[in-house]
Amino acid sequence: MKTFQKNLGVLLVSFLCMMPSAFGVDLSGTVSVNQVSNTATDAKTNAMNRARRQILYDVLSQYSQREYLNDVLQKSSNDELMDLIISTSVSNEQISSNAYSANVTMNLDNEAVKKWLNNHGVQNWVPSAYSDEKFSVFVVVQNGIADWSELKRIARNDNIEIETQHIAGNQILAKMPLNYRSKFTANIRGAGWKYTDNNGILQIWK
């Protein structure tokens, strides 16, 4: 990892940009909840509170420093976190006298989330609601063209092109749409890639 960081410092040129665009950046997440309490009402309330915190962490951990995000989430009240959500929908809802279960989907308010993170001193790169901002990707390809082709295929499956900026040996610096960061990270993790974040730059290797 030390070599990783050193090479990144040599290769990296700041090229993040922000321009107005007609393409909205959708920050949303879905979780399954199953909660038991004294009453059905309490169970549902507790389930929604848990879902909200989990979704906020799952989504925002792709755009901020995880350890600080987790700390702020633990210290924030339920009412404060409710202000970060634009809308909530549920499916497969089941309610009994003292239990509640459902699949919960929540859409986050980009600007409110960004302001909340900034106010709590959490470094973040949450995109604006309308933006074509890019994020940097630093890749180490151990298997050469095979690894690079796999990454390009993963992105192309979602109609996204990886924009190559610089190649040095088995190290590649590229950029991608910021609104695709969360999904791309999940996709490469599912394909067996490892990743970490360095001040907003996604570093990936196998």
Side-chain angles (χ1 to χ4, degrees):
M1 183 59 69
K2 289 183 179 179
T3 302
F4 206 52
Q5 299 282 356
K6 180 180 179 181
N7 292 335
L8 175 62
V10 173
L11 288 174
L12 179 63
V13 176
S14 178
F15 51 77
L16 290 180
C17 61
M18 181 175 289
M19 296 173 60
S21 170
F23 298 98
V25 178
D26 179 25
L27 294 184
S28 63
T30 301
V31 297
S32 296
V33 292
N34 193 336
Q35 188 75 34
V36 176
S37 189
N38 294 327
T39 66
T41 299
D42 288 343
K44 182 173 182 178
T45 298
N46 293 338
M48 288 299 176
N49 288 337
R50 289 181 58 186
R52 187 179 305 108
R53 290 176 185 274
Q54 187 61 54
I55 289 173
L56 284 167
Y57 180 81
D58 289 346
V59 175
L60 298 182
S61 62
Q62 306 300 326
Y63 297 96
S64 61
Q65 296 174 305
R66 295 184 177 187
E67 63 274 21
Y68 297 110
L69 170 64
N70 187 56
D71 183 60
V72 170
L73 280 171
Q74 291 182 7
K75 294 178 180 178
S76 297
S77 68
N78 292 322
D79 289 342
E80 183 179 4
L81 298 182
M82 286 180 66
D83 293 337
L84 306 180
I85 307 299
I86 294 177
S87 63
T88 300
S89 60
V90 299
S91 61
N92 299 326
E93 188 176 50
Q94 297 184 25
I95 305 174
S96 68
S97 60
N98 66 340
Y100 179 86
S101 66
N103 295 327
V104 182
T105 298
M106 294 184 178
N107 295 305
L108 282 57
D109 184 327
N110 297 55
E111 304 308 323
V113 161
K114 193 172 186 67
K115 181 178 179 180
W116 174 72
L117 290 171
N118 289 337
N119 287 344
H120 287 283
V122 180
Q123 184 180 9
N124 69 89
W125 42 99
V126 174
S128 296
Y130 297 95
S131 169
D132 62 1
E133 188 176 359
K134 309 288 185 179
F135 74 94
S136 305
V137 187
F138 182 65
V139 188
V140 172
V141 285
Q142 301 295 347
N143 297 314
I145 191 65
D147 283 352
W148 185 234
S149 295
E150 179 184 22
L151 289 175
K152 295 181 73 172
R153 176 185 54 77
I154 289 172
R156 196 173 292 117
N157 286 342
D158 291 310
N159 297 316
I160 300 294
E161 290 294 331
I162 302 177
E163 300 176 31
T164 305
Q165 300 295 298
H166 186 84
I167 300 177
N170 68 336
Q171 299 158 2
I172 301 171
L173 186 64
K175 64 180 179 178
M176 302 179 72
L178 185 56
N179 61 332
Y180 182 58
R181 181 182 177 117
S182 180
K183 186 172 184 180
F184 181 68
T185 303
N187 288 345
I188 62 172
R189 182 173 61 237
W193 288 79
K194 299 179 179 65
Y195 69 93
T196 187
D197 173 78
N198 183 29
N199 293 321
I201 301 159
L202 184 66
Q203 302 174 358
I204 58 179
W205 70 97
K206 244 185 179 180

